[in-house]
Amino acid sequence: MVGHQECTVEEDTRDNCTPKFWRKTLTAPAPFADETSCQCQAPHEKLTIAQARLGTPVDRPVRVYADGIFDLFHSGHARALMQAKTLFPNSYLLVGVCSDDLTHKFKGFTVMNEAERYEALRHCRYVDEVIRDAPWTLTPEFLEKHKIDFVAHDDIPYSSAGSDDVYKHIKEAGMFVPTQRTEGISTSDIITRIVRDYDVYARRNLQRGYTAKELNVSFINEKKYRFQNQVDKMKEKVKNVEERSKEFVNRVEEKSHDLIQKWEEKSREFIGNFLELFGPDGAWKQMFQERSSRMLQALSPKQSPMSSPTRSRSPSRSPSPTFAWLPIKTSPPSSPKAASASISSLSEVDEDEK
């Protein structure tokens, strides 16, 4: 048989229902109890919790049983089964699942049918074996048939089927091991969420192709939900357009910032170059001054010395006076009389010098 934990066919003389060696790798779903080849016919020694926690007996695992409805199998169920599996160092976990008839009679209608709930349990990694159509109240015959050592469940009294606690006799027999519930998650919580947001899920399934008849929705509600879906689509389109416009505006702003930054850098560079060339100490001013000085030097000739060096003369002769020759603007005589007058003035000056 290919099972959840495949074992050798070698039988144990003390308990031939338990394989001697267990494969640790998980390769297949857990088997159903009524399909396994292991039939518990040999005597089964009763264990105490202290002995089980010490890992005894060494020749077989401790058989732990956990039961429930497991509707809408969730993490709370898985954590409870994980606790049951790890209660003892060496354990074999059997999980009983109640049928639809018992569940509807004592607890109420389920979302998943019994076949779906069985399969959900078979694919949980902590489960070694699944017992279909488990009893609502555990009987000594059932415990003996499956050679159950301990029953794992949370220790809150479970009142049902006319009893204050269906696990009371198990607790009195010393076979009960408590587990802890996971807060914030339960089948009832999940159903409450669906009922609370019924319109949302009805519209969701209509949009995904389910018919109003399949969803048990009236004609008026169907039209209302479809209209709301159209409105939501329009809102989504408007939202997408707004997001795209924001992205476009952001890109334009980024580009404008880049352009302004580049313009500022170029402006600073241009102003710096201009000041370096035409500023108070710029190169243009120095060049202009140099050229101006050159032009002035070229336009104005060098002046002759005001006095010439005196030559040594003999003491007998008196030195001749020096004269400063000044440039005299002369203009041609306008008439012969003016020319004779100028000649006479020159002769008078010559006589005075003598």
Side-chain angles (χ1 to χ4, degrees), residues 60 63 68 76 117 120 126 143 165 213 220 244 264 298 330:
R60 71 171 179 86
R63 294 174 69 85
R117 293 185 284 115
Y126 310 111
L143 297 174
D165 188 1
K213 184 177 180 181
I220 296 175
R244 290 174 185 173
E264 289 178 351
T330 58

Side-chain angles (χ1 to χ4, degrees), residues 48 154 169 184 313 344:
T48 64
D154 63 80
H169 63 291
R313 289 187 173 85
S344 61

Side-chain angles (χ1 to χ4, degrees), residues 45 54 76 81 99 102 117 146 150 187-188 249 257 270 293:
E45 294 182 2
L54 290 174
L81 296 176
S99 64
L102 280 178
R117 293 185 284 115
H146 295 282
F150 300 101
T187 302
S188 299
V249 170
H257 289 322
F270 175 78
S293 61

Side-chain angles (χ1 to χ4, degrees), residues 23-230:
R23 190 184 64 187
K24 300 299 182 182
T25 307
L26 305 178
T27 58
F32 291 118
D34 54 357
E35 294 178 355
T36 60
S37 60
C38 296
Q39 299 296 326
C40 300
Q41 303 294 337
H44 194 79
E45 294 182 2
K46 186 176 178 61
L47 296 176
T48 64
I49 293 177
Q51 289 175 330
R53 285 177 177 165
L54 290 174
T56 54
V58 295
D59 56 346
R60 71 171 179 86
V62 178
R63 294 174 69 85
V64 180
Y65 176 80
D67 60 358
I69 309 302
F70 303 105
D71 190 20
L72 297 176
F73 189 81
H74 51 74
S75 62
H77 294 141
R79 288 176 64 86
L81 296 176
M82 179 187 69
Q83 294 177 60
K85 176 68 176 176
T86 57
L87 284 170
F88 308 109
N90 183 22
S91 62
Y92 184 83
L93 180 60
L94 301 94
V95 179
V97 184
C98 298
S99 64
D100 286 345
D101 291 339
L102 280 178
T103 304
H104 297 166
K105 179 180 179 180
F106 293 111
K107 192 168 185 178
F109 193 75
T110 58
V111 177
M112 301 168 65
N113 59 42
E114 60 184 28
E116 294 169 337
R117 293 185 284 115
Y118 296 155
E119 286 298 319
L121 266 298
R122 290 186 69 197
H123 291 82
C124 177
R125 63 183 299 180
Y126 310 111
V127 178
D128 295 305
E129 189 173 311
V130 175
I131 301 176
R132 292 182 283 196
D133 193 14
W136 197 261
T137 303
L138 300 179
T139 62
E141 293 77 16
F142 178 83
L143 297 174
E144 178 63 27
K145 176 184 177 181
H146 295 282
K147 302 299 181 185
I148 296 170
D149 293 310
F150 300 101
V151 176
H153 199 275
D154 63 80
D155 57 357
I156 300 173
Y158 194 84
S159 59
S160 179
S163 172
D164 294 336
D165 188 1
V166 295
Y167 297 104
K168 182 178 180 180
H169 63 291
I170 303 294
K171 294 176 181 177
E172 292 174 350
M175 298 176 62
F176 186 84
V177 185
T179 58
Q180 299 297 320
R181 294 178 63 90
T182 301
E183 297 297 330
I185 182 69
S186 68
T187 302
S188 299
D189 290 339
I190 295 173
I191 294 175
T192 300
R193 297 178 202 172
I194 297 172
V195 173
R196 181 187 60 200
D197 300 325
Y198 168 78
D199 289 353
V200 175
Y201 295 112
R203 289 166 52 191
R204 169 183 176 270
N205 283 6
L206 279 174
Q207 194 171 5
R208 294 192 174 188
Y210 288 88
T211 63
K213 184 177 180 181
E214 290 174 327
L215 297 174
N216 196 23
V217 173
S218 66
F219 177 80
I220 296 175
N221 284 336
E222 178 191 4
K223 298 303 178 185
K224 181 183 74 172
Y225 293 151
R226 294 193 183 278
F227 176 74
Q228 289 174 344
N229 287 336
Q230 294 296 327

